[in-house]
Amino acid sequence: MIRFPRSARLLSGSDFKRVFAAREARQNRLFRLHRAPLPAEAGAKGPRLGMAVSKRAARRAVDRNRIRRHIRESFRARSSRLAAYDYVVVARSAAADADPATLRGALDQLWLPLENE
């Protein structure tokens, strides 16, 4: 199994706040994707991912973890083609009931326009 390296993750609350404050977002029925340029002091060379999957979006922990796995795998597959930004994916309540193919399709719909920018 390929690990999701620490350098590719958003870890602090201040990073999440900065991305949400940038007000650059796109959405569909299952997810909302926010992004902001990497800060100069971050030292990261590639894109970084943060996830927000709340209890409101998915009551059961098993559903929240399943959604996170799909988000991480989708990001991993596309990270080499994404611009160096910080991305935060927020799950909506409809994502809890979606099957894997629907989750992948919704994530692909968000990532595709951002590739090779």
Side-chain angles (χ1 to χ4, degrees):
M1 179 176 162
I2 298 173
R3 295 216 25 147
F4 192 50
R6 192 170 178 85
S7 63
R9 291 185 251 167
L10 287 180
L11 300 172
S12 70
S14 61
D15 284 337
F16 278 83
K17 283 181 185 176
R18 185 180 49 75
V19 173
F20 289 135
R23 296 281 186 213
E24 186 177 345
R26 51 189 322 105
Q27 64 187 356
N28 58 29
R29 191 174 67 83
L30 302 180
F31 299 102
R32 184 172 177 93
L33 175 67
H34 298 265
R35 78 176 189 164
L38 286 172
E41 70 276 358
K45 300 199 180 9
R48 299 188 306 171
L49 175 68
M51 296 175 283
V53 185
S54 68
K55 277 189 179 180
R56 181 177 285 176
R59 290 299 294 161
R60 298 182 326 153
V62 66
D63 293 331
R64 291 192 301 273
N65 290 330
R66 178 178 56 88
I67 293 167
R68 284 187 196 109
R69 276 195 306 273
H70 283 287
I71 294 169
R72 269 193 302 269
E73 187 52 41
S74 173
F75 179 76
R76 245 189 238 122
R78 296 181 179 277
S79 64
S80 64
R81 298 185 303 263
L82 292 172
Y85 276 79
D86 284 342
Y87 299 93
V88 175
V89 179
V90 180
R92 295 180 150 193
S93 57
D97 301 324
D99 60 278
T102 305
L103 289 173
R104 274 193 306 272
L107 288 164
D108 288 347
Q109 182 185 25
L110 292 176
W111 294 124
L112 196 59
L114 302 175
E115 289 182 6
N116 301 318
E117 275 191 352

